[in-house]
Every structure is written in C-alpha cells, then in structure tokens.
Amino acid sequence: MTGSPLLIVDDDAAISKLLAAYLRKEGFDIAIAESVREMQERFTAQPPEMILLDVMLPDADGWSALRWLRARSAVPVIMLTGKGETIDKIVGLEMGADDYLAKPFDLRELLARIRTIQRRLDRPDAPAKAAAAEKQEVRFQGWVLDLAAHQLLDTDGQSVHLTQAEYRILVLLTATPRQPVHRDQLMEAVAGRNWDPMDRSVDVHVSNLRRKLDRDGGGPSLIRTVRGAGYMFVPGAESGAGFGAD
C-alpha cells in the first residue's frame, strides 16, 4: 500500500472512534476529520489512500465533499449514508463514489469493502493484465485507452477522468468488443461481489461512463445494453470506424 492513512470523515465522534479502533486493529493507519474543511486540509497536507465519507457533515454535505475530491483526485471513496434509500446510493455513485454503506452497518462488511478496494489498487486487473500482455493501448474512434498508464485519452489527446470502477468496466468491455459482458462479471470487477438485481451500482457506473464516451452525441452509444445479459462495447457499429491495438 501507499503508507498513507485511511481518512474517516464523520462529525459523530463516537462513530469515528469506533471505526478507528476497529480498523487500527486490522492494521490500518487512521486519520479523522470532523468536517469538510478539515477533510480538505488533511487531503492537501497528505492525500489518504482511501476515504470513508459521511453524507451528513456540519459545514457541508458529503456530496459537496465528494465533488471537491473528484475535481482533484481518483482516491477511493466509500460513502457512509444515514439513509438506505436507493436515490442516496445512486447520487453517490453518479458523483464518483466507489462504494456505499447505509448506517447502521456491520464492521466486518465495511472491512470487506475496504479490502476489496485495496486489492484493486494493489494488483493490476486480471483483464487489464491479460490485455496488456498483448497490447499497451486500445484505440477506438479516435479514443485511446492506455492500459500501461491507466488512463483514457479523448479524440483531442486530453486525459478523461475515470473513477476506478469506470476504468475497470471499460477495460472489461473493450477486451471483448461486440460480445456481451454480464453484470455478474462487471460487479465482481467493480466491487468484488456477485450482482444483486436490486443493486444498481453497475448500471450507474456504466451510465457515467457512457456520458463521458458519448459526450459529443454524434452517433450511437459505444456501450449498448444487452437485455437479460449485461452490456456490450460496440465501437464503430454504424460509423465504420476501426477498433484495434497498437
């Protein structure tokens, strides 16, 4: 790991103390912030390896804090929400959160979510590793997915910000163009667990990715929904543009 702390952002001192004690026993270096401003100060001084971010904070809400973070970094963020409504979860994912947990939650489940994200950060994706063995770049319709640098370049050569989840989904989809990839595979890659029909995480991440890839609105989406299966990457389906590797 990076040696940077895991940052807990919550104004409830009792919850922060409980989380910190539990995670320290599991070997984590922990830092705590009680407000968005304190989070920003700690982030600027030493970017953490991961953030547990509560939605309800005294000086601003967690969504504003997440927006601030995503403008500067792809640091993994797990949202801790006081509500279990689907809309709260979807909002967090749409804004770039990596995962979410509704309070109250089991500490062991939180640890499992953290470990899953750690594994994604510590070792290359299996699909990316396999693809990189054959090619370092995937090119489609002027875009470049640089597997070595873990970045996406648009048609002007500008880097497009992708969350960890969006990057992993794009790697999986581009590895098998014009072939459906089931939601189970995508959920395993994104969250390390099986897909639940009631969990819209994958769909929200795909929707965000679509907006970034199809922002010009000049043709059919590069990512198609396959009813009853999942999603399929279809480069140049109607434009005749090429797909390949350098």
Side-chain angles (χ1 to χ4, degrees):
M1 296 303 297
T2 63
S4 299
L6 186 154
L7 178 61
I8 300 170
V9 186
D10 197 316
D11 66 330
D12 188 321
I15 290 178
S16 294
K17 185 176 181 180
L18 175 65
L19 293 177
Y22 177 76
L23 293 173
R24 284 186 179 119
K25 287 182 179 179
E26 295 296 329
F28 290 91
D29 181 13
I30 300 296
I32 295 174
E34 297 183 354
S35 67
V36 174
R37 181 175 181 179
E38 188 176 356
M39 178 203 76
Q40 293 171 338
E41 291 173 349
R42 286 187 173 276
F43 182 90
T44 301
Q46 182 181 17
E49 69 169 280
M50 192 182 306
I51 297 177
L52 306 183
L53 177 61
D54 188 35
V55 171
M56 303 300 292
L57 294 165
D59 53 345
D61 59 48
W63 314 130
S64 300
L66 181 59
R67 188 179 300 110
W68 184 90
L69 287 167
R70 284 294 170 256
R72 294 161 176 78
S73 171
V75 59
V77 175
I78 298 178
M79 300 295 295
L80 304 180
T81 70
K83 301 177 181 179
E85 286 87 348
T86 301
I87 187 63
D88 293 303
K89 301 172 183 177
I90 292 175
V91 168
L93 293 170
E94 286 182 336
M95 295 180 65
D98 293 84
D99 208 342
Y100 57 80
L101 274 177
K103 297 178 181 179
F105 51 81
D106 189 302
L107 291 175
R108 292 169 298 180
E109 181 178 3
L110 173 62
L111 179 62
R113 301 287 183 96
I114 292 172
R115 294 295 192 200
T116 296
I117 292 176
Q118 278 189 323
R119 286 194 295 271
R120 297 204 306 257
L121 296 175
D122 284 345
R123 65 173 185 254
D125 311 282
K129 189 174 182 180
E134 300 179 2
K135 56 196 177 187
Q136 292 298 309
E137 294 180 345
V138 178
R139 295 176 177 268
F140 53 93
Q141 296 178 223
W143 294 77
V144 178
L145 178 59
D146 188 331
L147 299 172
H150 280 227
Q151 68 174 342
L152 177 67
L153 304 178
D154 66 15
T155 55
D156 295 322
Q158 299 299 309
S159 179
V160 177
H161 171 73
L162 296 179
T163 65
Q164 292 287 335
E166 291 163 4
Y167 172 79
R168 292 170 69 86
I169 287 173
L170 187 58
V171 168
L172 273 176
L173 292 175
T174 57
T176 55
R178 303 183 182 87
Q179 297 179 36
V181 179
H182 198 277
R183 285 181 174 84
D184 275 332
Q185 294 173 263
L186 296 173
M187 179 60 85
E188 176 63 30
V190 168
R193 58 182 184 270
N194 293 331
W195 176 66
D196 181 339
M198 300 301 293
D199 189 338
R200 292 193 56 201
S201 303
V202 166
D203 303 295
V204 174
H205 289 311
V206 170
S207 178
N208 291 340
L209 186 55
R210 274 176 171 159
R211 281 199 297 271
K212 294 175 182 181
L213 291 173
D214 305 335
R215 59 191 181 186
D216 295 334
S221 177
L222 289 165
I223 300 176
R224 307 291 180 83
T225 300
V226 181
R227 191 182 298 271
Y231 295 97
M232 179 169 59
F233 184 70
V234 188
E238 297 178 16
S239 65
F243 176 87
D246 290 341

